[in-house]
Amino acid sequence: SNENSEMVQTDFYSYRYLASEGFLPGYSFPRLPLAAYIPGSRGAQRQHDSGYLQRPRFVAIREFGPGALIYHEGSRYEVVRIQLPRSAGVTGGIDTEDARRCEECGDHRPVSVGLDICEQCGARLGAKTHDLLRLQTVHTRRRERISSDEEERRRSGFEIETSYRFATHGDRAGRIDAVATDPGAAMPFADLVYGDAATLRLANIGRRRRKDASDRGFWLDPVEGRWLSDKQASDATVDAEDLEALDDAKVKKKVIPYVEDTRNILLLRPHGRLDTVTATSLRYALERGVETLFQLEDSELESTALPDPESRGRMLFTESAEGGAGVLRRLVSEPGALAEVARVALALAHFEPDTGEDLGHASGTTERCERGCYDCLLSFANQSEHALIDRHRVKEPLLEMAMAITEAGGGGRGRTATLEALKAACDSDLERAFIDWLEERGLRLPDRAQVHVETARARPDFVYDLPSGPVAVFVDGPVHDGSTASARDVSASERLVNSGWDVVRVPHDGDWDAIAATRPAAFGTRPGARR
């Protein structure tokens, strides 16, 4: 390879596409990493040939940012140029996009006419973000000398803005709304929203130590793809709006690099107000609790804070592998899973889970932990936020959460709205009785009711939309006891199974508890039941 070569790769892969659409749940088909071109050494002291360093895209947005320093083979390299995605509609133009991000919750949407209200939280959307540039292969040059001040400023890193968008899969909603509540408390503890194959976007909006926090983005030469310093940008006084008319003029364009991918995500928002230290500490306590309870590696689960003007500590948890590990879904589908996580988090933070007694240190050590240690909430990954972590702030929220039961809705609605919609769609008193039975036991409610499946010529009473495939539920009244109706039922069930459905029949005189226990992925488990 040589310095002028471009690393052209495509992310399309049929299995990855099927996984992102929910057809291959539990499988991971990672997208191609992003690359940084490293020029080879020259002269008698030549140490290495030119080549590419590769990083996952959510790592590359931080490590391969404009002007970032990369250390390789004992040398220091600076990111100076980016491979530009050229626009098909404008000669010489670059392919950028505009979007709108909700400043209340972090949801992002493409710009469209008439869309002024956030579909996630109902708040008014903020101003448009222009000239978002998808990060691709970057090129570096070797830096021999650099001042200590410049190196320290660059080591402080970039400010990364996280946003998300829930997916839809045809008739199946791409989210599950749930609420964590203590039966003895006056109000719920937290709202939860789970999304499978959601779009997660990370945008690099500037250096952390930039002079003006409102100055977002980086200056770019849109002809050569070179990043420009502030001084170089001031010399290039012409904005790149019409490249054909500029000839050899020096041009500039301010862009915001970004990357995006599909991930399983969970939004958690406590109902009470939380200060920044408490919210940050609680987020990392829950992250460590989930990793410990479900035996995940540190790299398999990530968390970040989301905007929340009401100071209620809205936080986002992300399963790092595409296809996911399946643990975030369990936090909304299993009534006691979040409470178990809270108890584990209390123990990790050196508190007795039942009484809240401060144990002072981790098991097997004698040195007292004050605000946090690497045995509890601190890690190398959250070093930049160590000053905002205090284990004592999480005791009360976690004790409250340890008593909570999670109640999930269906079809992208909250539980109350789901219950009302299902009962309104019921065709019989027996169907309504079945829904009431699910509600009384705290089991998961169906996502849809009275669904006509044309390919199987069948109409299930209720449908659970699961990543592994839809589950059809038939609630059979006494009329189905006859031989003719029974034969029709068997035929309809076979056609659904042949179409990729799972089928559950619930007789009017059957053992409904036993039937629900055979499909925990659909119905969930009763609060307090052993998993």
Side-chain angles (χ1 to χ4, degrees):
S1 58
N2 56 66
E3 187 173 0
N4 295 321
S5 65
E6 301 288 358
M7 193 174 188
V8 181
Q9 297 178 324
T10 175
D11 267 330
F12 182 80
Y13 181 42
S14 56
Y15 286 125
R16 183 186 303 114
Y17 169 76
L18 293 173
S20 67
E21 293 297 319
F23 290 103
L24 297 172
Y27 289 84
S28 177
F29 301 98
R31 295 185 185 274
L32 294 174
L34 296 181
Y37 175 79
I38 305 294
S41 303
R42 298 177 180 177
Q45 299 299 323
R46 182 169 182 169
Q47 297 176 345
H48 62 84
D49 295 327
S50 59
Y52 289 92
L53 287 180
Q54 295 185 334
R55 295 289 184 271
R57 57 191 58 205
F58 284 174
V59 176
I61 191 65
R62 296 177 171 88
E63 293 191 5
F64 296 166
L69 295 177
I70 298 175
Y71 296 87
H72 177 68
E73 299 287 345
S75 299
R76 184 167 41 206
Y77 298 86
E78 179 186 16
V79 175
V80 295
R81 186 162 67 88
I82 181 176
Q83 177 181 322
L84 293 176
R86 292 298 178 182
S87 173
V90 180
T91 303
I94 59 176
D95 188 14
T96 61
E97 64 179 87
D98 301 335
R100 302 183 75 170
R101 180 177 186 262
C102 177
E103 300 303 324
E104 302 282 327
C105 69
D107 180 83
H108 82 261
R109 297 282 165 177
V111 174
S112 60
V113 177
L115 182 61
D116 295 322
I117 302 299
C118 175
E119 298 179 2
Q120 168 67 15
C121 68
R124 190 169 186 83
L125 289 174
K128 298 178 183 178
T129 300
H130 298 282
D131 295 321
L132 288 159
L133 177 69
R134 188 184 295 270
L135 187 65
Q136 299 194 36
T137 299
V138 301
H139 290 250
T140 68
R141 68 180 176 92
R142 188 170 181 175
R143 286 291 304 267
E144 296 291 346
R145 298 181 179 87
I146 185 171
S147 68
S148 59
D149 289 341
E150 184 180 6
E151 185 166 13
E152 182 61 29
R153 179 171 59 86
R154 299 193 186 197
R155 278 182 175 175
S156 67
F158 300 98
E159 182 179 351
I160 305 299
E161 185 177 80
T162 302
S163 56
Y164 62 90
R165 184 173 70 251
F166 290 111
T168 56
H169 310 290
D171 293 335
R172 181 170 72 88
R175 55 183 284 178
I176 300 175
D177 291 60
V179 61
T181 180
D182 182 353
M187 64 181 298
F189 173 78
D191 295 320
L192 299 91
V193 185
Y194 167 80
D196 57 353
T199 299
L200 192 65
R201 172 176 292 187
L202 271 61
N204 185 344
I205 63 174
R207 292 193 175 277
R208 292 182 183 273
R209 296 177 59 179
R210 62 188 184 275
K211 294 179 180 179
D212 183 2
S214 62
D215 182 17
R216 296 162 58 92
F218 302 87
W219 289 110
L220 175 74
D221 179 341
V223 177
E224 298 183 356
R226 294 190 178 277
W227 296 112
L228 304 176
S229 65
D230 290 341
K231 183 180 184 305
Q232 291 170 328
S234 64
D235 294 337
T237 56
V238 182
D239 285 331
E241 297 298 334
D242 187 357
L243 294 178
E244 294 179 290
L246 295 176
D247 297 326
D248 295 330
K250 294 182 179 180
V251 294
K252 64 180 179 180
K253 187 179 185 70
K254 179 156 278 192
V255 298
I256 298 177
Y258 79 91
V259 293
E260 69 178 20
D261 207 346
T262 55
R263 294 284 190 270
N264 292 347
I265 66 173
L266 176 72
L267 273 65
L268 187 147
R269 189 191 190 206
H271 275 214
R273 295 178 66 89
L274 301 177
D275 59 75
T276 303
V277 173
T278 302
T280 304
S281 304
L282 180 62
R283 174 163 58 88
Y284 285 117
L286 292 175
E287 180 182 338
R288 292 291 304 276
V290 171
E291 291 170 349
T292 302
L293 178 62
F294 296 107
Q295 300 180 358
L296 299 181
E297 299 290 338
D298 290 345
S299 60
E300 292 184 273
L301 185 70
E302 298 175 354
S303 68
T304 187
L306 289 176
D308 198 329
E310 296 182 9
S311 300
R312 285 168 53 184
R314 192 192 312 265
M315 57 192 74
L316 172 71
F317 298 91
T318 307
E319 293 179 355
S320 59
E322 188 173 9
V327 301
L328 295 181
R329 185 184 184 93
R330 294 177 64 175
L331 295 183
V332 296
S333 62
E334 298 181 9
L338 186 62
E340 287 188 62
V341 168
R343 291 180 59 84
V344 172
L346 279 167
L348 288 171
H350 316 315
F351 295 106
E352 210 290 321
D354 293 321
T355 64
E357 177 188 356
D358 186 1
L359 302 178
H361 52 79
S363 176
T365 65
T366 57
E367 184 177 358
R368 178 172 175 78
C369 170
E370 295 299 337
R371 291 170 57 96
C373 66
Y374 283 90
D375 287 321
C376 60
L377 306 186
L378 304 187
S379 69
F380 291 105
N382 62 23
Q383 281 184 347
S384 61
E385 297 183 284
H386 280 187
L388 298 176
I389 295 176
D390 185 347
R391 69 181 183 90
H392 297 283
R393 300 286 189 95
V394 303
K395 185 180 78 169
E396 295 303 326
L398 289 178
L399 284 173
E400 184 177 356
M401 189 183 297
M403 302 296 294
I405 294 174
T406 304
E407 298 177 340
R413 302 175 294 262
R415 192 170 183 89
T416 301
T418 302
L419 188 65
E420 294 175 354
L422 291 173
K423 295 185 75 171
C426 289
D427 282 343
S428 67
D429 290 338
L430 182 62
E431 292 174 9
R432 280 185 282 272
F434 178 70
I435 295 298
D436 288 335
W437 178 83
L438 292 174
E439 173 66 12
E440 289 171 1
R441 280 159 174 73
L443 297 174
R444 185 185 170 199
L445 297 176
D447 296 291
R448 294 178 283 161
Q450 310 303 328
V451 178
H452 178 63
V453 184
E454 186 174 354
T455 57
R457 303 191 310 279
R459 189 188 184 197
D461 297 318
F462 304 106
V463 172
Y464 286 95
D465 292 313
L466 304 181
S468 56
V471 179
V473 179
F474 293 89
V475 183
D476 298 333
V479 68
H480 291 265
D481 293 341
S483 58
T484 302
S486 178
R488 287 199 305 266
D489 293 342
V490 171
S491 179
S493 297
E494 289 178 349
R495 292 194 298 271
L496 282 167
V497 170
N498 291 335
S499 298
W501 289 63
D502 189 10
V503 178
V504 179
R505 305 209 75 95
V506 183
H508 65 97
D509 56 353
D511 186 345
W512 290 2
D513 286 297
I515 293 171
T518 65
R519 298 295 197 286
F523 298 104
T525 55
R526 294 183 62 179
R530 187 178 300 274
R531 292 189 299 111

